[in-house]
Amino acid sequence: MPAVPIGVFDSGVGGLSVLRAIRRQLPAQPVIYLADQAHVPYGSRTLEEVRGFSEAITRYLLDQGARLIVVACNTASAAALHELRDRFPEVPFVGMEPAVKPAAEHTHTGVVGVIATPATFQGRLYASVVERFAHGVTILQDTVPGLVTAIENGQLDAPETRAILEAALEPMLAQNIDTVVLGCTHFPFVIPLIQQIAGPGVRVIDPAPAVARQTERLLETRGWRAEGESPAAVRYLTTGPRKPFEALLGRLIDAPDATAEKLRWSRANLRA
Ligand code: DGL
């Protein structure tokens, strides 16, 4: 039986932080990665709009042969995960939620910072995570305006990017946070900068490895896990311009020879 492909999507390059963890955990699993760069950033759009994109993307990935879908975007998970599971009941989905639980379990100061997009903070997924896990812990939130766009532009250590992060983190540090939860899949690409600003005493939580393990568990229960160490193919699709996306594949996940396929939105559907 040929190995079962999984579909992974995000508004842009953020989901590559999740893809990287999946490749480490499941090297032999073929992957189709879709970046909806025609619509990035998702975080300032309405939940309804992001839900429409997410449904169309899921449909496209399933048409291309994906059998399990990783919603490698906190914003799309907040907007659409529930509805995607309803609409495609036969498909296993793995979604993202801000890692408030491990942060609340391990904080010593009792103060935790969460950075995510406005849409993620508005969704009921985030409210339910805080309600269930943040007992007795103070949660400070910031939407870090401009950070997703800076990362999409490859400005991983530019002075402007540092200034954006300082504006978000310094008020939190002044209130004694000892943990920063990355509630957006773009943000792991600036962990070195975050760590420089916050100092070595602050723990930064990237949920990607946990998401990769959950993907593995779901594949295993269905007998779909591809065994072996030899790396399977990854198809990269983008709804934005191909060249800048390919350049970022080289920089962000060390895939300098990867080529991307261009997709187009036609009304509410995707086409090659
Ligand atoms: N990477 C995304 C997330 O995890 C989306 C960021 C955006 O497009 O605003 O939320």
Side-chain angles (χ1 to χ4, degrees), residues 17-116:
S17 66
V18 178
L19 176 69
R20 183 171 58 183
I22 289 175
R23 298 293 287 161
R24 283 189 195 129
Q25 193 79 21
L26 298 158
Q29 207 77 40
V31 179
I32 310 168
Y33 181 91
L34 196 154
D36 186 15
Q37 292 180 303
H39 294 133
V40 70
Y42 275 6
S44 41
R45 294 176 182 272
T46 64
L47 295 175
E48 202 178 355
E49 211 177 354
V50 175
R51 202 171 296 142
F53 300 149
S54 302
E55 281 188 19
I57 291 169
T58 297
R59 219 175 305 120
Y60 189 84
L61 288 170
L62 295 173
D63 284 349
Q64 298 300 304
R67 306 275 294 278
L68 174 150
I69 303 291
V70 180
V71 185
C73 175
N74 289 78
T75 306
S77 298
L81 192 57
H82 197 74
E83 288 72 11
L84 289 173
R85 287 187 170 129
D86 273 357
R87 184 152 297 215
F88 305 95
E90 72 292 355
V91 178
F93 285 92
V94 180
M96 312 287 309
E97 63 179 30
V100 169
K101 183 172 186 245
E105 281 166 3
H106 293 107
T107 176
H108 294 296
T109 59
V111 191
V112 165
V114 181
I115 52 177

Side-chain angles (χ1 to χ4, degrees), residues 10-11 40-43 73-75 117 148 184-186:
D10 179 46
S11 59
V40 70
Y42 275 6
C73 175
N74 289 78
T75 306
T117 68
V148 168
C184 168
T185 55
H186 279 74

